[in-house]
Amino acid sequence: MLDRFAIDDGHHSPRLVIDEDASRAAGTARFRATCSCRRMPAHLPGSREEALAAHLAHVDTRLGPSRGPAWLPFEARLALLVLGCLGLFGGCLLGATTLAGSLHLAGDAALGARAGGVLAGFVTAGSLMVSTRHYMAPTRD
């Protein structure tokens, strides 16, 4: 269940294909490498060694920090993220409700202030999730 959070499992298999257009233009076989992870950037067709070097450069590229804090397991990091998001959302909603009450807003104005608090809560909680994604999802070492 938790393996769906893995950004990259570290298993890459090179796939070398001959680029027919480049081979026809060069008069010799020109290779292009792809990877089983489907995240390898495009590169110019070249010799077999150049294609393998491009794949090796892709494998050596890191996607982010190696892991989250080692002293804190993933489940605890996820629980802290949920609590942080709930706190931000609740704080925005409470702040909007308090603001509507202190300004003596009624009817549609109070509803609009609360809706603005809900929207601000979603935005801040979403921003927290985006900013901590590298610490939540383990990446390859």
Side-chain angles (χ1 to χ4, degrees):
M1 178 71 180
L2 295 178
D3 59 343
R4 65 188 173 109
F5 291 106
I7 294 174
D8 190 359
D9 60 2
H11 299 288
H12 298 271
S13 299
R15 296 179 184 154
L16 297 178
V17 295
I18 294 178
D19 189 328
E20 293 182 16
D21 294 333
S23 297
R24 189 173 296 124
T28 182
R30 305 307 282 174
F31 292 87
R32 187 179 298 272
T34 60
C35 187
S36 61
C37 73
R38 298 187 189 126
R39 294 184 182 162
M40 185 171 168
H43 62 90
L44 293 175
S47 66
R48 181 177 174 84
E49 291 77 23
E50 290 171 347
L52 286 173
H55 182 265
L56 186 60
H58 160 69
V59 170
D60 288 339
T61 302
R62 294 184 55 166
L63 297 175
S66 61
R67 298 234 180 252
W71 51 269
L72 198 59
F74 175 75
E75 291 81 10
R77 291 192 306 261
L78 188 61
L80 286 174
L81 177 65
V82 168
L83 287 174
C85 288
L86 286 174
L88 285 172
F89 182 78
C92 288
L93 185 60
L94 180 65
T97 304
T98 304
L99 181 65
S102 66
L103 294 177
H104 303 293
L105 298 177
D108 289 339
L111 184 63
R114 288 188 191 102
V118 168
L119 181 62
F122 278 131
V123 169
T124 56
S127 298
L128 177 67
M129 286 189 282
V130 168
S131 65
T132 61
R133 71 185 181 276
H134 288 295
Y135 298 105
M136 298 306 294
T139 58
R140 66 183 154 119
D141 290 327

